[in-house]
Amino acid sequence: MTRYSLAACIALALATNAQATPIDEELAALKARIEQLEAEQQQAKDKAVEDEQKAQQSSVKFGGAVRVNYAYEDYDDDNADRGGDFDFDLFRIDVSGNYKDLIFSAQYRWFEYMNVIQHAWIGYNFDEQQQAKIGVTQVPFGLLTYASNNYFFSSNFYLGLEDDHDMGLNYTYKGDNNQFDFAFYKNDEQGGIDGFVSDRTDRYAYDVVGIRLDGEDAYDAPSDGYAAGEVNTFNARYAHTFAFNDVSVELGASLQAGQLEIENGTDGDNVAAAIHSVINYDRWNVKLQMTDYKYDVDGMDVDRIVVAAYHFYDSIPAEATTYIANLAYSLPVEIGPISNLTFYNDYSLVTDKPAAMADTFMNVTGMAISAGGLYTYVDFVVAENQPFIGGTMVGDGGTNTRFNINFGYYF
């Protein structure tokens, strides 16, 4: 059986009846239909390519974590008598993504005693080196992303000077060896002194919420008229990375300056400055930082400032100098599901406090264990006058210890 192509059929029809006008019209119509079908097919292909390009340019990702915690505390007799306590730590949801050069990220955390936003921002990538964000963003100050390796951060965290997040604008330029960060924060993540929140102590990071008066306990709520909030804070940070064969060294400096809004109308302000260094050699990592900060209130001789986080009030010195020295070693392994062990020793010191307050120190010796989505901190903490280790920054207590294991599954 002979098969003919469509083109052959058309040619044959033209050859046998060249003068047949109706056939010419039918063939012309058939040819037009074929061209239309080919055009529609090409349009479908073009749309598929366009859809694929759009999909590559936009994305939404969801993640989160579930964490539980075991703690043995020598400063809590009941805890020690029970052999420690095993508690739920948190559940969190993360969402991030982009549409072309627009980017966004947010994280919400559920604890047994509070629910908080850790961060929530939208941003724009001007190019591969420049980025701007608006919302609740991490304050660019000192060592980033963290000034610590352990579960408890450094002592700076409890002063509001590590992994703090506030509401404002943030600009970053990141080149091959240089990074500039500039930020302006209108107020803290709760909207400042008159933010519409049910409890000013429910927050992830420590912020100023009042002026501590003489005679008040370190954990009291601010007295009437002396509630306070951080406003109009400017941050500038610069870091430069040097490469020397197998060694890289980051050197940086940070400056923070802002105001305090006080309920009774008194003016206040604060300033903080830091220099830092990060040294990487093979599997070794060293983090160093020195920080100095001060809070002033017009017409008052203030020694203590009220801060809040994790559902309670606490106090910090109105001024101090802090030092951080951390050493870590990362060891890849193949032990069942375990792929990496990171050993570390993190040391913090808070000194030069007003009114002859005793120093604060915290030393954390520990190990972080990576096993797929499971990340575990095993920490032994020795500290004096350190929050969450049986003390307060404005106290004068003895040395306390805490053995802590935090299990977290990240998805």
Side-chain angles (χ1 to χ4, degrees):
M1 181 177 179
T2 304
R3 298 179 182 273
Y4 297 97
S5 66
L6 177 62
C9 290
I10 294 172
L12 179 61
L14 289 172
T16 56
N17 196 353
Q19 303 300 321
T21 303
I23 295 178
D24 289 344
E25 292 176 351
E26 290 178 6
L27 292 175
L30 181 59
K31 182 179 179 182
R33 177 58 178 161
I34 291 172
E35 291 176 348
Q36 180 184 1
L37 290 172
E38 290 176 345
E40 290 176 354
Q41 185 180 34
Q42 185 61 45
Q43 289 175 357
K45 289 181 179 179
D46 292 343
K47 186 177 186 305
V49 172
E50 182 180 354
D51 289 344
E52 183 178 355
Q53 291 175 343
K54 287 182 178 179
Q56 293 174 349
Q57 293 175 347
S58 62
S59 66
V60 178
K61 297 180 181 179
F62 291 92
V66 178
R67 298 200 318 223
V68 294
N69 196 78
Y70 168 78
Y72 178 86
E73 304 160 347
D74 75 342
Y75 48 87
D76 185 330
D77 292 340
D78 292 335
N79 173 281
D81 289 344
R82 290 189 297 267
D85 291 317
F86 197 28
D87 298 307
F88 171 77
D89 184 10
L90 68 81
F91 173 74
R92 84 182 202 204
I93 289 293
D94 307 326
V95 59
S96 63
N98 73 287
Y99 175 72
K100 297 184 179 179
D101 290 324
L102 287 173
I103 54 177
F104 60 90
S105 180
Q107 183 183 110
Y108 198 82
R109 298 189 174 200
W110 287 264
F111 297 84
E112 287 186 318
Y113 47 88
M114 68 173 189
N115 303 325
V116 298
I117 291 175
Q118 196 261 3
H119 73 269
W121 52 261
I122 57 175
Y124 184 77
N125 290 320
F126 295 100
D127 52 39
E128 293 182 355
Q129 297 177 319
Q130 299 181 86
Q131 182 183 91
K133 301 175 185 175
I134 182 170
V136 180
T137 69
Q138 185 184 45
V139 177
F141 187 87
L143 291 159
L144 296 180
T145 299
Y146 305 105
S148 52
N149 300 290
N150 69 87
Y151 172 71
F152 293 94
F153 299 97
S154 72
S155 294
N156 274 22
F157 177 78
Y158 306 86
L159 298 168
L161 296 172
E162 177 187 357
D163 199 28
D164 187 22
H165 291 73
D166 290 324
M167 178 65 76
L169 305 169
N170 186 303
Y171 167 82
T172 298
Y173 168 87
K174 190 170 186 179
D176 293 337
N177 299 309
N178 298 287
Q179 180 171 335
F180 296 91
D181 292 280
F182 301 98
F184 170 73
Y185 294 98
K186 185 59 184 174
N187 41 249
D188 62 35
E189 66 272 31
Q190 289 191 345
I193 190 172
D194 56 358
F196 294 98
V197 295
S198 58
D199 193 330
R200 297 192 70 203
T201 67
D202 288 352
R203 62 183 76 212
Y204 162 78
Y206 281 83
D207 290 303
V208 174
V209 296
I211 306 302
R212 180 67 72 208
L213 303 180
D214 292 341
E216 292 181 342
D217 186 77
Y219 304 107
D220 287 343
S223 297
D224 290 343
Y226 290 93
E230 302 167 1
V231 295
N232 300 330
T233 301
F234 290 88
N235 282 84
R237 180 183 182 273
Y238 170 71
H240 182 85
T241 301
F242 301 87
F244 306 97
N245 296 325
D246 296 331
V247 180
S248 70
V249 179
E250 176 184 295
L251 297 178
S254 306
L255 180 65
Q256 175 177 295
Q259 298 173 314
L260 294 179
E261 181 182 9
I262 303 172
E263 190 177 22
N264 61 16
T266 307
D267 292 329
D269 57 70
N270 72 92
V271 64
I275 55 174
H276 75 269
S277 178
V278 181
I279 304 169
N280 289 295
Y281 171 70
D282 194 25
R283 297 173 182 169
W284 293 94
N285 171 264
V286 177
K287 294 184 177 75
L288 304 170
Q289 182 171 317
M290 182 178 72
T291 308
D292 194 79
Y293 75 90
K294 184 175 184 179
Y295 291 91
D296 281 315
V297 178
D298 291 351
M300 295 182 64
D301 186 11
V302 176
D303 294 329
R304 300 180 299 168
I305 299 294
V306 185
V307 294
Y310 297 96
H311 201 61
F312 73 93
Y313 294 103
D314 202 347
S315 303
I316 63 172
E319 60 181 296
T321 301
T322 77
Y323 301 90
I324 293 171
N326 306 331
L327 176 66
Y329 181 80
S330 179
L331 178 65
V333 297
E334 294 182 4
I335 306 174
I338 300 174
S339 59
N340 187 269
L341 301 174
T342 301
F343 304 92
Y344 50 79
N345 192 88
D346 293 350
Y347 179 79
S348 304
L349 174 66
V350 183
T351 188
D352 296 330
K353 303 176 184 178
M357 294 182 195
D359 291 347
T360 291
F361 85 84
M362 178 170 64
N363 192 85
V364 186
T365 302
M367 175 177 63
I369 306 168
S370 299
L374 183 65
Y375 196 82
T376 304
Y377 293 97
V378 181
D379 292 322
F380 180 70
V381 190
V382 181
E384 285 185 5
N385 306 316
Q386 171 65 45
F388 285 90
I389 316 296
T392 173
M393 289 278 183
V394 296
D396 188 10
T399 302
N400 299 315
T401 63
R402 174 169 174 164
F403 178 67
N404 198 88
I405 306 176
N406 188 268
F407 303 89
Y409 182 75
Y410 298 80
F411 56 89

